[in-house]
Amino acid sequence: MTQPPLLAAMRFRTDQVVRIGPLALRIASDVPVFPALHYFSRAARMPDATVPDIELWCLSDTDPGLPADTTARARNLAAGYYVTDHFGPPVRISSSGNRIVLVGDRLERLVWPYVVKYLLLRHTVSAGGLFLKAAALAAGDGATLIVGRGGGGKSVLVTGLCRNGATFITNSHVILTDGAVQGVASTMRMRPGPWLDQAASTAALDPSERLVDPYDAFPRRAGAAVPLHAVWIAGFRAPGEHDVQQLPPDEAVGIVEQFAFGLNVYRLEEDLLDLCGGDYRAFAAQYGRMRNQLHAAVRSCPTYRVRSDVQHPAHRDRLLRLLSQEGTS
């Protein structure tokens, strides 16, 4: 099929291939130094010659006049409703094959908050596996997922442990396939505190947060998928606190389903229905497959509620010992 003349003649001022879990994503924009790239770790950047699995074109200054998608998400974007509680100027989305074109202003507000999550969901629908909102780290030959609400202390917990011997996997997104954890190499959004080196961070979209690159922050980082051995539910509440309790499987499954299952957390049900061609029965089959896989994964390993001030050396050492015990076959 012949491309429209304007599309064929596009000249990008930002053009970078990044790795998002199992996918190579080309991010191209007519905006120089496109701010969306700040959300990807340096470890995610791939050589210029890399052939991408997917292309994302973000056009703020040039409109090639492509027809908008007819999905529920496209209608929402056209009305300025992005995802969950994010709103902004109208955006047109046009998809064809493995290319997604966004046309609008300040498109960095959509790349990480929506597009990355959508692509990870789409991948797991077609290839199997699960997309989870979770941090993950490793000790020995086993990975531990860290799940919890926003502001619950996941990033602080990961930072405290990975600066003191644990191996960093990811701070935000996980693909779980055949019982193994693969992370997405993103930067970490952190709020100010003793755990944050302001000089080694950059501004985030949210002015109350900073971005820290794990590539610079942690000496040990996992490059390959690591078998899942444990799940921690993080909920730090007070300085000096240390309370670790093992949870029964039924409790653990309910918590993880609501706070880590990407489809639920990021309100991607409309996207899944459109990926299923609007067929509710196909939607139910996909949802059931992912839900059953999630339950089986959580029930296969110990799950702990972890409320601990990891800045306290004695508490941190207890957590490192627990991590090592669960990370050894």
Side-chain angles (χ1 to χ4, degrees):
M1 180 181 295
T2 303
Q3 297 186 102
L6 187 58
L7 202 63
M10 283 298 306
R11 294 293 182 266
F12 297 114
R13 304 178 73 184
T14 295
D15 200 339
Q16 177 67 54
V17 178
V18 294
R19 173 68 63 181
I20 55 168
L23 301 172
L25 171 66
R26 178 191 180 200
I27 298 178
S29 176
D30 53 11
V31 175
V33 196
F34 186 41
L37 290 179
H38 294 160
Y39 280 81
F40 297 88
S41 167
R42 286 196 292 132
R45 300 198 176 199
M46 306 187 73
D48 292 341
T50 303
V51 177
D53 300 302
I54 305 160
E55 295 193 5
L56 174 65
W57 293 11
C58 296
L59 308 178
S60 294
D61 299 326
T62 306
D63 186 347
L66 297 172
D69 292 353
T70 58
T71 62
R73 182 68 60 185
R75 292 193 295 273
N76 287 343
L77 291 178
Y81 175 72
Y82 290 178
V83 60
T84 60
D85 58 351
H86 294 80
F87 292 81
V91 172
R92 186 165 72 251
I93 181 169
S94 180
S95 305
S96 178
N98 282 335
R99 179 190 296 147
I100 299 173
V101 179
L102 300 177
V103 179
D105 295 326
R106 298 285 308 278
L107 294 172
E108 65 272 11
R109 292 177 293 184
L110 275 175
V111 175
W112 187 263
Y114 168 65
V115 176
V116 166
K117 299 168 177 63
Y118 166 74
L119 292 177
L120 293 173
L121 173 70
R122 190 174 79 172
H123 170 78
T124 53
V125 167
S126 63
L130 283 171
F131 162 44
L132 302 176
K133 177 183 184 291
L137 40 74
D141 62 354
T144 294
L145 292 181
I146 300 180
V147 175
R149 70 191 311 173
K154 297 188 297 298
S155 296
V156 176
L157 190 58
V158 166
T159 300
L161 296 176
C162 290
R163 282 179 174 171
N164 291 277
T167 297
F168 178 83
I169 298 176
T170 184
N171 187 63
S172 58
H173 292 355
V174 161
I175 295 293
L176 181 63
T177 306
D178 297 329
V181 172
Q182 182 178 11
V184 174
S186 67
T187 49
M188 300 171 64
R189 292 163 45 204
M190 298 191 71
R191 295 171 178 85
W195 47 82
L196 176 62
D197 181 355
Q198 291 277 357
S201 64
T202 58
L205 293 178
D206 184 336
S208 69
E209 299 176 332
R210 303 287 293 179
L211 297 177
V212 178
D213 193 335
Y215 187 91
D216 301 319
F218 306 129
R220 302 175 63 179
R221 302 174 300 275
V226 183
L228 175 63
H229 280 200
V231 177
W232 292 4
I233 312 297
F236 172 65
R237 296 186 301 180
E241 179 182 36
H242 183 77
D243 181 16
V244 177
Q245 298 182 20
Q246 189 164 358
L247 297 177
D250 287 345
E251 284 187 22
V253 162
I255 295 168
V256 174
E257 185 172 335
Q258 293 304 313
F259 289 94
F261 191 15
L263 183 70
N264 290 345
V265 176
Y266 295 119
R267 296 300 309 273
L268 298 171
E269 67 277 2
E270 294 274 14
D271 300 272
L272 178 58
L273 182 59
D274 280 321
L275 287 169
C276 293
D279 184 334
Y280 284 101
R281 297 186 70 181
F283 171 94
Q286 278 288 353
Y287 185 87
R289 189 271 302 171
M290 292 187 286
R291 187 170 181 268
N292 291 339
Q293 191 174 346
L294 177 66
H295 287 204
V298 174
R299 292 179 182 278
S300 70
C301 59
T303 302
Y304 298 89
R305 188 196 70 185
V306 177
R307 294 176 176 168
S308 182
D309 181 1
V310 75
Q311 301 301 306
H312 191 292
H315 300 342
R316 182 190 66 218
D317 291 344
R318 291 190 189 103
L319 293 177
L320 286 168
R321 286 195 294 272
L322 177 62
L323 190 69
S324 296
Q325 292 165 7
E326 298 303 337
T328 302
S329 299

